[in-house]
Every structure is written in C-alpha cells, then in structure tokens.
Amino acid sequence: EGGMGTVKQSDDFTLTGSLPSARAHRRFCELLPQEHRSVEESLQARVSLEQILSLPELKANPFKERICKVFSTSPSRDSLSFEDFLDLLSVFSDTATPDIKSHYAFRIFDFDDDGTLNREDLSQLVNCLTGESEDTRLSASEMKQLIDNILEESDIDRDGTINLSEFQHVISRSPDFASFTV
Amino acid sequence: MEPVPGSSGSPPASPIPGPGRRAAAPSVGSWPVPRDPARRGSGGPARRAWEGRRRPAPASMTSAPEPGIPAPGGKAGRRRQLPERVSGGLSGAWGAVMSESSISALPPGRPSRQPFIHQESLSLDSSCFSSPPVNFLQELPSYRSIARKRTTILSRDKQSGTLLKPTDSYNFQLEGELTEDLDSQSIRKYALNISEKRRLRDIQETQMKYLSEWDQWKRYSSKSWKRFIEKAREMTTHLELWREDIRSIEGKFGTGIQSYFSFLRFLVLLNLVIFLIIFMVVLLPVLLTRYKITNSSFILIPSQDVDIQCTVYPISSSGLIYFYSYVIDLLSGTGFLEDTYLFYGHYTIDGVKFQNFTYDLPLAYLLSTIAYLALSLVWIVKRSVEGFKINLIRSEEHFQSYCNKVFAGWDFCITNRSMADLKHSSLRYELRADLEEERIRQKIAERTSEETIRIYSLRLFLNCIVLAVLAACFYAIYKATIFSQEHMKKEIDKMVFGENLLILYLPSIVITLANFITPIIFAKIIHYEDYSPGFEIRLTILRCVFMRLATICVLVFTLGSKITSCDNYLCELCGYNQKLYPCWETQVGQEMYKLMIFDLIIILAVTLFVDFPRKILVTYCSSWKLFQCWGEQEFAIPDNVLGIVYGQTICWIGAFFSPLLPAIATLKFIIIFYVKEHPVLQSLRAIHQLQHHLGSGPQDSEHLPQLAADAGLWHHFGSLRSAFFHDHLPHYVLLHRPGRSAQAGGRPAPRAAEPGKS
C-alpha cells in the first residue's frame, strides 16, 4: 500500500492532467530492467538518460538532452528518478500553467546553465530548431541578423542577454507558446 | 549604461554576484538547480527558515538572485516584494540604482533581504508571481490589475484568521503568509520538485490543525469541490467527438493541420445543433400530429388578402418516369423530393392544435431561423475571440515575431521523425523568409521616386485586370444561372440524361470552375505587383475569399432577379413571377441543395480520383521524371478551409428555404472528415518515401508543399481574419505557382544572394 499510495499522492502535486500518476508509473517501469520493477524499487530507482531519450515523445524533440538535464536531480545530471519523471510530465501536460512552462522553457533553453540566455545560447537554440545536420544551419550573417532581432524584441535592459523575467514577459505575449505541451 | 552588478565583476556597493560569474561553490553554479543535493548541503537559508531557525547572515552568496521566478496561481502579496531580484541581470541606471538603494535601505540580518535567494524561497514567495523586477514594467496596466487582484485575495485570506503557533516572530510571519495564501490546489502550480511540494503540504497540514473547526471544514470542502470540478472537466473532455483522431493528427502533422480538423469538428457540432433546433421547433409538432402520436390536429387558415392564384403550387409529375429520373431528382431536389420536408413548400400548415393551446407553425419557423442564425453568430464569435485577441496583438506588424518563432516555434507535440524533419525545415524556411522580408522592406524603403511611380501604375493596371477577371466570372455565373433556370422547365423525357444533369448543375459547375481557376490567375498576377511576401499572401487570400463569397451572392441575386422579372405585369398579382415559380422559396432551396451536393461530390472526386492515384504514381513510379515534378501531394490548409467555409455559407443561406439542409451539411462534413483524414495520413508519408527514392536529404524544395501543411501556427482558427494577418503563409503563394517546386529549392538561396533583385 505504501508504494502505490505514494504514487497516487503524487497526483496532488503534479499537473499531469489526463495522465494520472499510476499510468506514468507504468511508463516509468517499462524503462527499468525487469527485475527492478517492483513498486518500492521503482520509486527509488533511476533511469539513465539514454533510456529516457528513447521515449517516443522525446525521440523527435531537438531539446531532449536539455529536457533530461533540467529535470534530473542526480549530481551528475544523467539520470531521472520517478519523481523527476513525474515532474517532467507535469510541466509538459496541458494543465500546467503558462508560468511553469515558461520557467522550465527558460531553463531548457539555457544551454550553458548560467541563468541568462546570451548570444551563444540563442545561436545554439536556433541551430536546434533548424535541424540537426551541418547543412541545415543558418549562415553566419543570417544568424547575426536573427539574434539581433531577437535581442531587440526581448532584451529590455539592453545588456545583451535575456534573463528569466524578460523571457517570461516575451512568452506571455507569445500566442504560440501553447505548443509547449507533450 | 551602468555595469550590471555582477555581469562585469564586482558590483559597486553590494556583495551581490551577478549571473555572469561562475560560482566557485559546487553547490550552485550560478543557476541554482532546485534538486541539487550539494546545494541542499550548503544550505538553504530559506530551508532553515522553515525549521524555525533564524537564517545565518549571508555567508555563501554564490548564486545570482533569480528575478521573477514565479509562484504561479499564487496569491501574491505586495508586502513581500524582494527588490534584490531587480539586480539580477539588469543593467541600466534604474536597475543598479534600485538594487543599491534597496540593499542599503534594508536592515541587515533579516533573511528576506538576503541576496542569495534560494529558488525554493522565491518560488514559494507569495510575491513572486510574475512580479516584474523593473519599475517601468509595473506601470503596465496588466500588471497593475494582477497586483490589485492579489491584494484583494491576500486581504480576504487574512481576514479568515488563522491561529498560528507562535514561533520566531519573523519566521512566524513567513510561514503565516505563505500558508495563508496556499491551498492544496495551488501547491501543484509551484515550480518545485515533488519533495519540496510534499514538505509544503505537510507544513500546511500542520497549520490546519490550528484553524477553527469552521475554517477546516471550509477548506476541506473547497478542496473537494475543486477536485470534483476538475474530474468533471476531465470527463467532459473525454466526450469530445473525434478526440483521439485529432490528437493523433496533431502528433503526426502538427497543429496547423490539426486546427483544420478541429474547425471541421466545430462545424459538425454547429450544424447538428442547428438541426436540433429546427427539429424541435418545426418538425416535431408536425410529425407528432401526422403520425398520430399525440392527439392534435392541423389548422389551415385560408388567406384573405392574397389572391388565391398565388397560393397554387402544382407539383409537376410526368406520366412516364424513366429510372434515371429518380437519380436526377435525388441530385437536384426536384420530382419526388420536392414535396417533402426537405423544402419550404411542404410546410403549408398554419397551426397545430394541441389540447390546451395552438402552436403557430409559421411563427415557429421564422423564430427558429432567427434563433439558429443568432446562435451561429454567438458561437463563432466566442470561438474567434481568442483569434481576435491575437490579431490585436499581432496587428502591430511583426510584433515580437522573431521571439515568438524562436522561443515558441518548436511544436512539442511532434513525435514522428519525419514530421520533425518537416518542422525543422519549416522553421528554417520561415526564419529565412522573415529575414529576407526584412531586407526587402529595407530595400523598398530606399526606392527612387521614378521606380515608385512605375510600380504604382503597374499595380493599378494589374488590379484592373483582377477586377476584369472577377467581372467575367460573375457574368459567367449570371448567364449560367439564367440558362439553367430557363431550360429546367423542359420535360425530362425530351432530354438526354447527361444533358439534363448538366443543365441542372450548370451554375454549380461554373462556380466551382471559377473558384478553381481564379486563385491560379491571382497568384500569377501578384507576382508582378512586387509586394513584400507577407502582403502578397494576404492580398491573394483576400481576393480568393471575396471571389468565393461573391459568387454565391451573384447566384442568389440572379435567382432573385429571375423570380421577380415578368414579361407582362404578372408580377403585380403576387409580387413575383408566379407562373414560372409557383413556390420560389422551394426553387431557391433547390439551388442551394444542388450547390451543397455538388460541393460534396467535387471534394470526394478530387480526393479519390486525383489525389489518390497521384499518390500511387508518386510512390511507385517515382523513377519517372514526369511524376517527380508533378506528383507532390500537399494538404493546402487555406484552400481546404475556404472550402468548408464555403460549404457552411451555403448551409446558412439555404437553411431557411430547406430546413433539412443543416442535417445534410452535418453528414457532409462527417464524410469529409473521414475522407480527408485518410489521404492526409498517407500522402505525406509518400513524400518521405520520395525523398528516400531520390536519395536526398530534407531539402527545402521537397518540403515546401508540406511547409504549407505545416504552417503550424493556425491554432486559433476561429475566423478567417486570422488568415489575413497570418505571417506564415508564404507557402500558399508557393502552392499556386506552377513549376514552383522545381525552382523552390533555389528560392531562399537566390533571394539571399540577390537582394537587389525584384
């Protein structure tokens, strides 16, 4: 009882919407090796990044490594526990508030984890968006023009970087942010 | 610009490290990770606050203050505004000044002034909710209204009065405020991990013990009520029609195509509701009486002030009926269908007499028309409201379009590898197109006056051509309608089957041809008018929509003129040409019925006989050059949407004259849904296979047709207006440029290379 009770309690804390915690737990258990699938063990177990990246919802996502890194609570940021997994589902569910989504989006886009989005972060972000191979990248002048435009639109204090509040301000006016849902 | 405290080394007056400094302490990095255990070790001063101890003086200030981490859904109070967050990441005079003054203004040792803001404390901080760190943002009316709401909620909560265990005075306040504002539902909305939320909830539960019985019961009941509401909402979403289908479409093809299908679903529901209204109000009493279910009778009131001749309605029935006449009748609404519930002329009853009251049927008919038209208007407006809000925001040209595309551009619903590739190329293309457009706009701004005059005169000339094309189409429809009406009166057996059908359907055929040819012509013309790409698309769509809706108007107008035109004063008797049109309402209803049926036939025919063989040929004969150039299958969202809007317009116009038309429209849209869903699933996959056959990577040239499909920003498709202001339809223009796909691969490149061109 204790194990599944803990799992069900997670419903109170997460916004998984249509995917209650028991189902999420089943998905999580599928990633564990057969012998560790008992409830008690699965709540403590951690799943490596490679396995999470093989999930169908994340497979096609260019930000999958960043997503895993952001939600991982292990010291080396390379594995996810069940609670991390639930957090992930919760943030990406369609019942999560835009504030939560924008908060985590900022962290996902912050490739160097320094708390702001600087030019390198933005350029890496754009490269993720346009494709994964060398020939899909924008040219250097196009990239510069694009990043200049982005900073002009969103950098309120003109320091050359976008911090969380500027990011959230931009996102709150962005009509398409609803697509941040899995 | 003053240096950011921290972005360039040590700040002047305060020991606040900036975001740029790579923290030495392993516990945080400059970006505090909530679940970093090392950080836990080094200590959350906020954490210790929970345990009721004073926070130590700011010892390890290794992290940047996090500006504006939200406590969403929270009832934030103004009191807890933490000015330190201003300093994070802000440069500029106001930022530095504010931070410095606030630091100096605050007494040391109070934990809230501590610059090292633990992410938890910020998240839990009731004032964190979207409070902008900069003064001028607080001037925004939107922020002010939120702040006003917060304070009222906060004061309301405070009045509820909670008895808290007296602990350390500051921490008591801290806990008190936070738990006051919390209720269990909002714990979910904090950006914390689960163990933190668990702790929060435990604290809140201990607080509950000190509440009075009444408060406890109130809180419990509100919690369970909210839970019930959520469950109910979840249940109702499961009842949505075609929910799984549309979700899978969204996952495979993105939100652009999904919005088309959800619009289709909306129209199905709308037509169903309209039909239910008509059924309840008009059909039910008649049916009940006719089939003797209730004990009621019909009333026929002879009209006094209208000549008896006007009410005569002979239903034509020929002696010898060929077998194909039934087919013709089914397709055109004449013959055996004419005197049925389908058309206006059948409803000759003036009232239905029940036991206690008399039901006025003509009045009910009229009121039902008004009711469903009003309902349609209200529902569509409600559905479009979001779209309008977005249009208001977007009406500033290119407002935040780059940020929107880059930050919100990726559709996280995509699970399919090939769709992801399409999305990548779509984004790439859009970004390049936008950058290109910006360069072009700059070039246009630098035009000489001579060139300007030349271009304006060219545009005038081309607009005249457009008007000429439109006039030609309208004239053709007018002529076709007149011809059709005149020849419809001939006997069936005097005509060949095909000829008869052709005559009956002539207006519909002409309208469909016109709707097919004119977009191609417009697309060719606009190429010479030298507008910016965004404006090109808008203008083309505007012209096409105008074309579609105007053709129906011309048809109705022609019918009207035919009905009221008489040779020798016969019209004075009844107001219309009673000899030719004994019941003109039925005739109009028949025309609308024919239009609707023909529309359905054409959509089915095009999908089954044009797209499907094309797909087969492309997949299996892709080695032939001919099919490579021709065969790409696209799901043209604008075209398809215009098609279903056109169908719905016919339904609305015709519903008064043909009460069962909404039911037919419902069936039609259901058929269209299933037919369209199927080829879409197959055709786009065929393109991926084509790529493999050709051995090429995801280049733009092959993806351009799908880019149209994947214009993934048709979320809020409530109104066509959103189409007009949509920036992401360069693909529409591409679709209608013949031979485009061959050149398209080179399109971004030459445009980038030769900005001086055009």
Side-chain angles (χ1 to χ4, degrees), chain A residues 12-13 73 83 94 99 107 113 129-130 136 145 149 153 156-159 168 173-174 176 179, chain B residues 1 31 35 68 89-91 129 136 188 197-198 201 247 399 403-404 412 424 428 438-439 713:
Chain A
D12 285 339
F13 299 122
T73 51
E83 288 188 352
D94 44 8
D99 283 325
R107 294 182 54 194
D113 285 329
L129 287 177
T130 57
T136 56
Q145 186 187 357
N149 281 320
E153 285 171 358
I156 300 173
D157 53 7
R158 305 273 171 253
D159 64 346
Q168 285 183 320
R173 291 183 145 193
S174 167
D176 302 318
S179 62
Chain B
M1 207 155 70
W31 177 239
R35 294 181 279 286
L90 282 183
S91 66
F129 175 52
F136 77 90
R188 280 191 191 183
K197 287 182 188 173
R198 229 178 244 139
R201 189 181 75 169
R247 276 245 151 157
F399 174 72
C403 281
N404 187 35
F412 279 66
H424 280 307
R428 190 168 63 238
E438 193 185 335
R439 284 193 285 262
L713 299 169

Side-chain angles (χ1 to χ4, degrees), chain A residues 22-34 36-37 42 47 51-52 54-57 82 85:
Chain A
R23 265 181 71 191
H25 184 251
R26 266 200 296 281
R27 296 291 305 276
F28 186 73
C29 286
E30 282 163 20
L31 296 170
L32 294 171
Q34 192 58 270
H36 296 301
R37 283 190 190 174
S42 62
V47 168
Q51 287 181 289
I52 293 284
S54 67
L55 277 177
E57 287 86 355
F82 176 60
F85 184 68

Side-chain angles (χ1 to χ4, degrees), chain B residues 195-468:
Chain B
S195 36
E196 304 298 334
K197 287 182 188 173
R198 229 178 244 139
R199 264 187 336 102
L200 241 193
R201 189 181 75 169
D202 292 338
I203 287 164
Q204 191 210 4
E205 271 172 13
T206 47
Q207 295 300 350
M208 283 259 284
K209 288 198 206 110
Y210 298 102
L211 294 178
S212 64
E213 286 297 320
W214 172 247
D215 285 329
Q216 274 186 2
W217 183 84
K218 255 201 325 186
R219 206 168 273 204
Y220 173 72
S221 64
S222 75
K223 243 200 283 189
S224 32
W225 174 249
K226 283 200 188 118
R227 222 170 266 175
F228 172 72
I229 294 282
E230 263 186 44
K231 281 264 153 53
R233 207 169 288 157
E234 218 172 300
M235 289 268 83
T236 48
T237 54
H238 281 293
L239 292 174
E240 253 176 34
L241 182 66
W242 292 322
R243 190 163 173 264
E244 292 309 317
D245 287 317
I246 292 187
R247 276 245 151 157
S248 77
I249 289 173
E250 186 176 27
K252 291 207 185 82
F253 303 110
T255 36
I257 297 186
Q258 177 260 343
S259 68
Y260 167 78
F261 283 99
S262 76
F263 185 53
L264 198 52
R265 173 180 61 190
F266 163 71
L267 286 181
V268 166
L269 291 174
L270 179 66
N271 282 313
L272 197 62
V273 169
I274 292 178
F275 176 65
L276 280 175
I277 291 177
I278 293 176
F279 184 77
M280 289 290 143
V281 172
V282 173
L283 281 178
L284 200 60
V286 174
L287 287 174
L288 285 177
T289 313
R290 183 153 293 176
Y291 295 106
K292 308 268 188 289
I293 299 174
T294 60
N295 195 4
S296 47
S297 58
F298 291 138
I299 300 177
L300 284 160
I301 304 171
S303 48
Q304 284 98 2
D305 49 351
V306 182
D307 203 308
I308 190 67
Q309 273 195 332
C310 298
T311 57
V312 167
Y313 181 24
I315 308 287
S316 57
S317 54
S318 13
L320 271 180
I321 302 193
Y322 286 84
F323 73 97
Y324 56 73
S325 68
Y326 285 114
V327 177
I328 293 181
D329 288 341
L330 195 65
L331 291 175
S332 69
T334 49
F336 77 94
L337 274 183
E338 194 161 343
D339 190 21
T340 55
Y341 290 109
L342 186 57
F343 292 116
Y344 181 96
H346 184 65
Y347 296 88
T348 51
I349 300 158
D350 288 308
V352 178
K353 188 167 167 38
F354 292 98
Q355 274 98 353
N356 308 332
F357 63 96
T358 309
Y359 189 79
D360 191 350
L361 197 64
L363 182 65
Y365 194 102
L366 188 64
L367 286 180
S368 73
T369 306
I370 296 174
Y372 65 69
L373 286 177
L375 170 76
S376 305
L377 180 69
V378 165
W379 202 347
I380 287 199
V381 165
K382 180 169 162 297
R383 199 187 135 91
S384 316
V385 153
E386 279 208 29
F388 281 133
K389 276 191 209 157
I390 291 166
N391 285 335
L392 281 175
I393 293 175
R394 281 180 173 224
S395 59
E396 279 178 58
E397 186 137 322
H398 301 287
F399 174 72
Q400 276 194 2
S401 66
Y402 290 104
C403 281
N404 187 35
K405 280 192 195 106
V406 168
F407 293 137
W410 183 258
D411 191 350
F412 279 66
C413 293
I414 292 179
T415 51
N416 190 337
R417 186 78 234 172
S418 53
M419 285 312 296
D421 288 335
L422 286 175
K423 186 72 181 175
H424 280 307
S425 41
S426 159
L427 279 169
R428 190 168 63 238
Y429 187 85
E430 280 177 19
L431 288 171
R432 284 206 177 120
D434 276 350
L435 295 170
E436 178 65 31
E437 184 159 340
E438 193 185 335
R439 284 193 285 262
I440 287 179
R441 227 178 304 133
Q442 225 168 348
K443 190 194 71 79
I444 287 178
E446 297 160 4
R447 255 192 211 140
T448 65
S449 55
E450 186 182 274
E451 262 178 53
T452 320
I453 293 176
R454 184 186 70 85
I455 283 186
Y456 277 120
S457 53
L458 183 64
R459 281 183 194 168
L460 191 63
F461 173 65
L462 289 172
N463 274 308
C464 291
I465 293 188
V466 165
L467 286 175

